[in-house]
Amino acid sequence: LQARLARIMDHLRDDRMAVAFVAEFSRGKSELINAIFFAQYGQRVLPSTAGRTTMCPTELLFDAARPVGIRLLPIETRLDDASVADLKLDDSRWRFVPVDATDVVSLRTAFEAVRETKRVASEQAAQMGMYDETDESSPYKPDSDGMVEVPSWRHAVVNIPHPLLELGLVIIDTPGLNAIGSEPELTLNLIPSAHAVLFVLAADAGVTRTDIDVWREHISPAHRSGRFVVLNKIDGLWDELKQESEINLEIAGQVASVGRLLDLPTARIYPVSAQKALVGKIQHDDRLLKRSRLPELEQALSEEMIPQQQAIVRDQVRREFEETSSVTMGVLTARHRNQIEQVFELNGLRGKNKTVIDQMSRRIRAERTDFEKSLRQLQALRTVFSRHSQNLFSHVGLD
């Protein structure tokens, strides 16, 4: 209870607005971050290729008190009991890569680190919680040499100046959904503590079973007001043989379908094309950028989420306090119920105690009467004995 109250106080003191980007791999999540935050560099900064790119949770923020660069937490720290939140306070456990925010090559080189992997023995991978031989769906499997390829880093923190980040926005880029189960820090701390969640789906893939499970288990229960869905890759629906109105109608149908599956208002679902938006920004093609629909999402980020930070934090604190209050009331109710049971038990013993005491009193009175009667008999015998002893001494000499 003390820890939860301390966390609530930390939420109230913190002036940052954390937004978690959550998606299965190959949904275009990194491309979306490139389009929103790094288009001014004229090329991709975050690695965005086919397959898995982000191998560890990555936080993008700006802290003027720290140098610009990337802090990387080695994967071996999973062998310790310390959480990522605790390890953030110990700079010696992190590797720091300096970054020149004006040099795109420096940025790209630094961000390539989040893709790094290493091969470790399956036993060590199991100790780190990255491999379970009984889990057939695990993304980590040993090769012929018994080695498992795992991410090199457990967590990354990117400190870089950006207008939105300088406003207090913190972007949490998560690895694919199949890594959520293997990194408890995501489900226990990062995603629940985020003020808002952007759940990225792909228009060409739709909502998969894995998407629905993660939405219901990790996002929907923890976030009520700060839930947003990004339906990416709508450019896959663009068809030169169709009218623009037909394409818009098809996109609207996809949005309505996602809203029904996730039980979310369609106003919280943003269909975009991150790839076309990035191209439009780099090539200064306003028509392509408008067609990508990214400006609507950026407007929601800058004009809705950040100004509503107080309301989102209030809702989050209220929810956490209600959970804490519910637990406390449960404990107090159990104690109160136990006390009532004890009172009933004592009341049940009340008549029995009186009967026992009455019996003891009667027995004590009877024993006292017997004692006094015996004492009188003893005194009478003592008098008779004294008289007989005097009579005896008068007839028999001492010798």
Side-chain angles (χ1 to χ4, degrees):
L1 179 61
Q2 294 282 354
R4 296 191 71 168
L5 290 176
R7 188 168 68 247
I8 291 174
M9 295 301 297
D10 289 340
H11 281 314
L12 292 174
R13 281 190 290 263
D14 191 9
D15 60 350
R16 295 184 183 274
M17 178 75 177
V19 181
F21 281 64
V22 181
E24 181 63 287
F25 67 90
S26 297
R27 295 292 191 265
K29 177 166 47 64
S30 297
E31 189 80 328
L32 181 63
I33 296 176
N34 277 325
I36 295 176
F37 296 98
F38 300 112
Q40 70 271 21
Y41 291 101
Q43 56 181 291
R44 292 182 177 91
V45 174
L46 264 69
S48 178
T49 57
R52 299 182 65 185
T53 54
T54 304
M55 299 298 293
C56 68
T58 304
E59 293 183 61
L60 283 76
L61 52 86
F62 180 68
D63 185 353
R66 285 187 171 274
V68 176
I70 297 181
R71 298 168 66 207
L72 299 166
L73 184 64
I75 193 66
E76 287 78 11
T77 57
R78 290 182 62 123
L79 299 173
D80 304 334
D81 292 333
S83 66
V84 173
D86 295 332
L87 292 171
K88 284 182 179 179
L89 305 176
D90 186 3
D91 289 339
S92 64
R93 306 294 296 274
W94 296 70
R95 174 189 166 190
F96 179 73
V97 180
V99 171
D100 182 0
T102 62
D103 183 9
V104 66
V105 177
S106 174
L107 277 170
R108 285 180 60 90
T109 303
F111 275 110
E112 283 292 330
V114 301
R115 300 182 62 182
E116 294 178 358
T117 60
K118 61 169 53 179
R119 296 171 72 245
V120 299
S122 57
E123 295 81 5
Q124 185 179 6
Q127 291 176 355
M128 291 190 295
M130 305 297 293
Y131 167 63
D132 183 1
E133 61 180 4
T134 62
D135 185 6
E136 297 181 355
S137 62
S138 173
Y140 305 103
K141 299 290 185 182
D143 56 20
S144 57
D145 299 328
M147 305 294 286
V148 178
E149 186 179 22
V150 299
S152 297
W153 311 106
R154 180 182 180 185
H155 199 86
V157 179
V158 181
N159 187 42
I160 187 171
H162 185 278
L164 281 176
L165 301 182
E166 291 171 2
L167 285 175
L169 193 66
V170 178
I171 298 301
I172 303 172
D173 183 15
T174 64
L177 299 181
N178 53 15
I180 286 184
S182 62
E183 179 51 77
E185 194 77 17
L186 282 172
T187 56
L188 298 179
N189 188 14
L190 278 180
I191 294 178
S193 65
H195 299 100
V197 171
L198 259 69
F199 193 50
V200 183
L201 303 172
D204 53 356
V207 184
T208 65
R209 180 66 186 178
T210 306
D211 294 334
I212 294 177
D213 289 343
V214 173
W215 174 266
R216 292 176 178 173
E217 293 177 15
H218 303 301
I219 298 177
S220 185
H223 298 274
R224 290 298 177 187
S225 58
R227 298 180 300 169
F228 299 86
V229 171
V230 177
L231 188 61
N232 195 19
K233 301 185 179 182
I234 61 170
D235 54 290
L237 302 177
W238 295 354
D239 190 340
E240 300 297 334
L241 301 179
K242 292 183 179 180
Q243 298 291 330
E244 189 69 22
S245 58
E246 293 180 293
I247 296 174
N248 292 335
L249 191 62
E250 189 173 352
I251 293 174
Q254 286 275 49
V255 170
S257 175
V258 171
R260 286 193 302 270
L261 288 172
L262 301 183
D263 191 21
L264 190 70
T266 55
R268 294 295 181 109
I269 303 173
Y270 295 87
V272 303
S273 172
Q275 192 270 337
K276 299 302 180 184
L278 181 61
V279 173
K281 286 186 175 183
I282 293 175
Q283 297 180 352
H284 304 288
D285 188 341
D286 294 337
R287 181 177 174 276
L288 183 60
L289 178 61
K290 182 179 179 180
R291 195 181 185 194
S292 72
R293 303 194 185 190
L294 185 68
E296 287 86 344
L297 177 60
E298 292 179 322
Q299 183 176 5
L301 284 172
S302 59
E303 297 184 6
E304 181 177 350
M305 292 174 63
I306 293 179
Q308 286 189 0
Q309 178 181 6
Q310 190 179 63
I312 293 175
V313 171
R314 183 189 300 116
D315 179 70
Q316 191 175 44
V317 169
R318 180 187 295 114
R319 184 175 59 253
E320 286 200 28
F321 186 80
E322 286 175 352
E323 293 176 0
T324 305
S325 175
S326 175
V327 172
T328 305
M329 287 302 297
V331 174
L332 293 177
T333 301
R335 291 179 179 176
H336 185 240
R337 184 170 57 251
N338 290 337
Q339 289 179 347
I340 291 177
E341 291 175 355
Q342 291 178 7
V343 168
F344 276 119
E345 185 177 356
L346 290 173
N347 287 334
L349 293 174
R350 177 174 293 165
K352 297 178 182 179
N353 290 343
K354 184 178 181 181
T355 302
V356 171
I357 290 174
D358 289 343
Q359 292 176 352
M360 291 176 63
S361 299
R362 288 194 296 271
R363 187 174 68 250
I364 290 173
R365 283 195 294 270
E367 290 178 354
R368 181 178 179 180
T369 301
D370 292 341
F371 175 76
E372 291 176 348
K373 181 179 178 181
S374 300
L375 185 59
R376 289 193 297 272
Q377 292 176 351
L378 177 63
Q379 291 174 346
L381 289 173
R382 191 173 286 173
T383 301
V384 173
F385 174 78
S386 177
R387 188 172 63 250
H388 284 310
S389 61
Q390 291 176 0
N391 187 26
L392 182 61
F393 288 148
S394 65
H395 289 84
V396 179
L398 291 177
D399 293 342

